[in-house]
Amino acid sequence: MIDFGQLAVPGIRGLRAYDPGHDLVALRRAHPAALVELGSNENSYGASPRAQQAAAVALERLHVYPDPLGGDLKRALARHHGVGVENIVLGNGSHELLMQFAQVFAGPDDAVVASQFGFAVYALAAQAAGATLALAPAHPAEHAMPRGHDLDALLAAISSRTKLMYLANPNNPTGTWFGGEAFTAFLAAVPAQVLVVVDEAYAEYVDAADYASALPLLAAHPNLIVTRTFSKAYGLAGARVGYALAHPDCIAVMERVRESFNVNALALAAAEAALGDAVHLQAAVDGNRQQREALAAALRAWGLAVAPSQTNFLLVEFGLETARVEAELIRRGIVVRPVAGYGLADCLRITVGTAEENARLLVALGTILA
Ligand SMILES: *Cc1c(COP(=O)(O)O)cnc(C)c1O
């Protein structure tokens, strides 16, 4: 027999696959038409009808390779963000790009810095690249941004071996964020050769006054990389499109490892159309904000600790009841996300649903917690 685990390169040997949560296909079968899916931070308002239409048109040319350059989408993104196409690399979801940054820039002798309770993909990316992961402690649970990124701790985790840092703003699974002024000061203190990836997967949802996207800092900081996705506020999780914005030289190196047709034709068309549908985006963002505030208020009224969130999910503390609550919710056909894998065995991450979905969740929780 071949021991494939041992045959793998060192970084892969100790690696465990990304945990996507419950087997949703099996659960959908068990709860036909009634499953409430609040486990994956998908958009409760669906994709733009214009994106669906564009994908349907692209379907007529399914036998043709997609544009390997993704030119139309890149030009639309360049206009949207006020950057050049040479500042953009497209990914099969931003997950792909997050993995590739470590693959490209961090090797066995290097360190990658991320935060405790940061998005799980950062640790996977570092480990797969064979690099050492240096985890900075997060803010404590009592902080105004419970378990959120501590920028000072992240700075302190930088060593002479650090090549790359991953920050999420806002962060998943905590929902917390850091302010624009704090980040500007942080970036000024990071050594110029250390690459800083700021994952802004939820940026479109944000309206906190102190928040600022890192995008305007790109021009002055060649070591800054910002990732975005069409999976969340744009509602295209099934299409798999994300992108990174960075210095053209950084993008050029990333292009060397990008598989030439990594974003498929349906996804390219859908993303471009979704980007052009500001009305649909705004409706999803507004609906989410309203429902998030209502859901958080209802949960807090029961005495539950709910972390502040600028995303489409809430991190909720259930303490010793967490596992039981989760199991009881599943039994009732309501999927939320256990986050024990993040070291948060006392919390559940709950995607903000539609008013109807949240009502079903609250009715079930009321019974379970009674
Ligand atoms: C959902 C999410 C992503 C996006 O993943 P895609 O591969 O673009 O679907 C990236 N980062 C964070 C923090 C996320 O929550």
Side-chain angles (χ1 to χ4, degrees):
M1 262 311 287
I2 303 175
D3 184 343
F4 286 96
Q6 281 309 307
L7 201 60
V9 295
I12 308 295
R13 264 175 231 160
L15 197 60
R16 277 198 316 188
Y18 177 79
D19 172 11
H22 288 285
D23 180 351
L24 287 168
V25 175
L27 284 170
R28 283 173 200 141
R29 232 173 258 136
H31 300 269
L35 195 68
V36 178
E37 300 187 23
L38 304 177
S40 299
N41 300 344
E42 288 146 346
N43 193 317
S44 298
Y45 305 92
S48 156
R50 282 162 64 175
Q52 297 181 48
Q53 179 70 39
V57 171
L59 203 51
E60 291 162 19
R61 290 179 52 80
L62 204 54
H63 61 293
V64 177
Y65 277 110
D67 174 8
L69 303 174
D72 287 342
L73 176 57
K74 273 195 185 178
R75 280 184 288 275
L77 284 167
R79 267 195 309 278
H80 182 77
H81 289 299
V83 299
V85 290
E86 66 280 4
N87 291 109
I88 302 170
V89 60
L90 300 178
N92 191 274
S94 54
H95 189 147
E96 178 183 56
L97 297 172
L98 292 167
M99 295 297 289
Q100 283 173 353
F101 282 117
Q103 181 195 337
V104 170
F105 295 111
D109 295 326
D110 303 323
V112 173
V113 170
S115 175
Q116 180 190 20
F117 310 131
F119 188 43
V121 168
Y122 314 148
L124 282 179
Q127 210 182 339
T132 304
L133 180 69
L135 266 193
H139 287 310
E142 307 74 42
H143 192 272
M145 288 295 157
R147 303 174 172 108
H149 288 12
D150 178 341
L151 296 180
D152 293 330
L154 281 156
L155 272 183
I158 297 173
S159 71
S160 58
R161 292 171 57 205
T162 305
K163 296 286 291 288
L164 187 64
M165 311 181 78
Y166 287 104
L167 286 73
N169 199 26
N171 181 48
N172 173 13
T174 57
T176 54
W177 66 100
F178 46 82
E181 279 180 37
F183 180 72
T184 301
F186 165 88
L187 195 58
V190 173
Q193 298 299 315
V194 174
L195 302 184
V196 177
V197 178
V198 182
D199 178 350
E200 297 188 342
Y202 299 93
E204 296 85 1
Y205 282 120
V206 177
D207 60 3
D210 64 334
Y211 175 90
S213 165
L215 284 176
L217 300 170
L218 276 177
H221 297 272
N223 62 328
L224 176 62
I225 297 163
V226 178
T227 63
R228 295 281 184 107
T229 181
F230 282 94
S231 298
K232 304 287 160 57
Y234 284 103
L236 296 182
R240 314 302 306 127
V241 197
Y243 56 102
L245 302 116
H247 189 278
D249 295 351
C250 172
I251 297 296
V253 173
M254 287 294 287
E255 284 288 343
R256 297 180 193 167
V257 297
R258 187 180 65 82
E259 189 256 306
S260 46
F261 303 106
N262 64 329
V263 183
N264 72 69
L266 278 62
L268 287 173
E272 189 186 347
L275 193 66
D277 193 347
V279 172
H280 185 81
L281 175 70
Q282 196 58 48
V285 168
D286 290 344
N288 176 67
R289 180 187 312 113
Q290 219 170 28
Q291 290 306 317
R292 183 182 68 216
E293 284 168 11
L295 181 59
L299 295 168
R300 286 183 183 128
W302 286 340
L304 295 166
V306 181
S309 169
Q310 284 284 296
T311 65
N312 67 336
F313 62 86
L314 295 170
L315 186 70
V316 187
E317 278 184 44
F318 291 94
L320 296 173
E321 293 275 50
T322 304
R324 183 183 71 85
V325 168
E326 205 269 330
E328 289 285 335
L329 284 173
I330 279 288
R331 211 166 59 73
R332 289 168 169 80
I334 299 172
V335 184
V336 299
R337 189 71 148 88
V339 280
Y342 280 92
L344 295 168
D346 61 336
C347 295
L348 294 172
R349 192 194 69 192
I350 303 176
T351 303
V352 177
T354 60
E356 296 70 35
E357 290 170 324
N358 297 339
R360 273 194 60 192
L361 168 77
L362 287 170
V363 167
L365 272 179
T367 311
I368 293 165
L369 295 172

